[in-house]
Amino acid sequence: MNIITVKNYDMMSDLAALLIAARVLEKPNSILGFATGSTPNGTYQNLIKMYNNGLVDFSQVKTFNLDEYCGLPQEHEQSYNYYMNENLFKHINIKAENIKIPNGMADDFDTESMEYETAIKNAGGVDLQLLGVGLNGHIGFNEPDNIFHNITREVELTQSTIDANSRFFQDKSEVPKTAISMGIGTIMSAKEIVLLAGEDKNEVVQKLQDNVVSPEFPVSILHYHPKCTIITVNKN
Ligand code: GLP
């Protein structure tokens, strides 16, 4: 695990976008895993700038998003589908058929999850997975638990995640209680991982450096990933 500490959010976003763009330049048909939340916003803005400047081309790129809330239609402003479209996809030349996000409105979440896993495998696996991290150490929506859950599935959100994410909703009662999330195994099978942890996640990064791997702190599994970069912000 390579931890890179930078001075501010913009530097973190610059570095992350550079890493992603470099992979796409090396392999134009890269499979990218994308994340939502406020942390990767700056990274997506930089990718859009690079695209507008003709530096990177997404026409052959395929993407798989980490997760989606259950019960929010795609056009709901807080759905991750909406987020990705507004913050990245509609501004670049990615093909609609190359974008995959779990369907939070599926009739059967087990089937949806199985099909998502299969789609990732059929595409050849994720080349680079971008991650954020929850205040409780969750990655995707893999919440602290007594086991690591391997595959994509419907998950129950913990109260702390519902509380943290309620800032985006008008009322806490509107925050979905469940989501579909890639599993820990799905995330770990990416060939490369880049995790962004802004200043608000300094305690999470500190705990990660204790080197204790436990499903109670899901992000700790990344210690076992062969090519994982953590970009963290610390002004001091
Ligand atoms: C959500 C997402 C995660 C994300 C986390 C942190 O719960 N499911 O993928 O990493 O929020 O979000 P933020 O970057 O807004 O702190």
Side-chain angles (χ1 to χ4, degrees), residues 146-166:
N146 48 12
I147 54 164
F148 284 115
H149 293 273
N150 216 12
I151 57 168
T152 303
R153 73 216 178 282
E154 185 183 7
V155 295
E156 264 181 45
L157 306 186
T158 60
Q159 193 56 46
S160 73
T161 296
I162 292 172
D163 293 346
N165 290 4
S166 67

Side-chain angles (χ1 to χ4, degrees), residues 36-40 66-67 80 132-134 138 140-141 161 165 167-168 200-201:
T36 50
S38 43
T39 311
L66 277 172
D67 46 15
Y80 288 165
V133 60
H138 74 224
F141 267 132
T161 296
N165 290 4
R167 68 189 193 276
F168 299 114
D200 56 329
K201 307 290 165 47

